[in-house]
Amino acid sequence: MRILLLSMVLFVLPMTSWSQTDGPTAKPLKIEAVNKVDPKGQENKGTPLKIPSVVGDRPEINLDVSPSRKPVKMYPDRELVQAGSGMKIDPKVGPREKNKEGSSDYFGNMYLGDVKSNGKFIGVVCRDHEYVDGDRVKIYLNDRVVDPNVLLTGSFKGVNIDLEKGFNRLDFEALNEGSSSPNTAQVDVYDDQGQLIYSNKWLLSSGSKATLIITKE
């Protein structure tokens, strides 16, 4: 029995000793004033922080840009030229002057002749028989506009026109000369049965007219 009690005592004592020494040691928390008061009763504020003033004295800036002083350059020192200074303009580019009457390049009004047709209407077609360059014409019948703007292409295009009894004056006015002067075209006229009754060509300056007379009895 004594041996059992002695064993228990020897087992418990080390545990008790470990539990007493392993725990943290408590220390009292000491709180001091931010600004200590010295024995004379004056508050010790410590060394003040010196902040530079932003509204005080300002440094002097010399803005002298006289020739004796070289300005600061932000870009490399090199010769600059105006954009397009070396470009040469072709005088043919841009609006072309209208060929004046009397000049060798002027093509005035043309009379294409006359033809007879007793049909109810005729079919008038025209095309640019030379270089297709954007030629345009306006078609009149007895001073009345039939088609205000016909673009002449490589293929025929046109309108059917009802005929009046007697003389029918058909005018083709050149609205422009395209990119290659003059205004060029081939004109064909068909009766109401689809038979070709007339064919001709014209060379016109801008504003000139080609006139064809169609007589219906």
Side-chain angles (χ1 to χ4, degrees):
M1 185 67 178
R2 291 181 179 180
I3 296 175
L4 180 60
L5 291 176
L6 182 59
S7 300
M8 292 178 63
V9 170
L10 294 176
F11 177 76
V12 172
L13 283 177
M15 295 182 60
T16 305
S17 175
W18 175 80
S19 63
Q20 290 179 354
T21 59
D22 188 61
T25 303
K27 293 184 179 180
L29 180 63
K30 186 178 181 180
I31 300 176
E32 297 182 357
V34 174
N35 295 324
K36 297 182 179 180
V37 180
D38 59 12
K40 295 181 180 180
Q42 295 182 355
E43 185 179 356
N44 184 6
K45 297 183 179 179
T47 304
L49 179 63
K50 187 177 181 181
I51 302 177
S53 174
V54 295
V55 294
D57 297 335
R58 299 182 181 178
E60 294 184 2
I61 301 176
N62 189 357
L63 299 179
D64 182 15
V65 291
S66 61
S68 61
R69 294 180 57 88
K70 294 183 179 180
V72 177
K73 296 183 179 181
M74 303 300 293
Y75 296 97
D77 189 6
R78 58 186 178 184
E79 295 294 331
L80 299 179
V81 296
Q82 177 66 30
S85 61
M87 182 174 62
K88 295 181 179 180
I89 300 177
D90 188 344
K92 296 181 181 178
V93 176
R96 186 174 58 235
E97 293 184 1
K98 182 178 178 180
N99 293 326
K100 296 181 180 180
E101 187 173 355
S103 67
S104 59
D105 295 329
Y106 180 79
F107 296 86
N109 296 335
M110 290 182 61
Y111 180 64
L112 299 177
D114 58 86
V115 63
K116 292 182 179 181
S117 178
N118 292 326
K120 184 179 180 180
F121 65 90
I122 56 172
V124 179
V125 295
C126 49
R127 70 180 180 93
D128 194 335
H129 68 287
E130 293 189 0
Y131 178 68
V132 178
D133 58 344
D135 291 339
R136 293 180 294 112
V137 295
K138 182 186 292 188
I139 303 176
Y140 301 83
L141 176 66
N142 298 329
D143 296 326
R144 176 175 56 88
V145 177
V146 176
D147 196 319
N149 192 345
V150 179
L151 176 63
L152 300 178
T153 63
S155 57
F156 283 104
K157 60 173 62 175
V159 292
N160 289 334
I161 300 175
D162 293 333
L163 294 176
E164 300 176 2
K165 206 166 188 180
F167 292 98
N168 294 268
R169 176 172 173 165
L170 197 61
D171 291 317
F172 302 90
E173 180 185 0
L175 297 178
N176 67 347
E177 298 177 22
S179 60
S180 178
S181 180
N183 186 303
T184 56
Q186 175 186 348
V187 56
D188 290 351
V189 179
Y190 295 84
D191 62 13
D192 57 354
Q193 302 300 314
Q195 299 297 317
L196 178 65
I197 59 175
Y198 179 84
S199 181
N200 207 339
K201 299 175 182 177
W202 72 61
L203 300 174
L204 299 174
S205 291
S206 181
S208 299
K209 293 181 180 180
T211 301
L212 173 65
I213 301 297
I214 301 173
T215 305
K216 180 179 179 181
E217 297 177 353

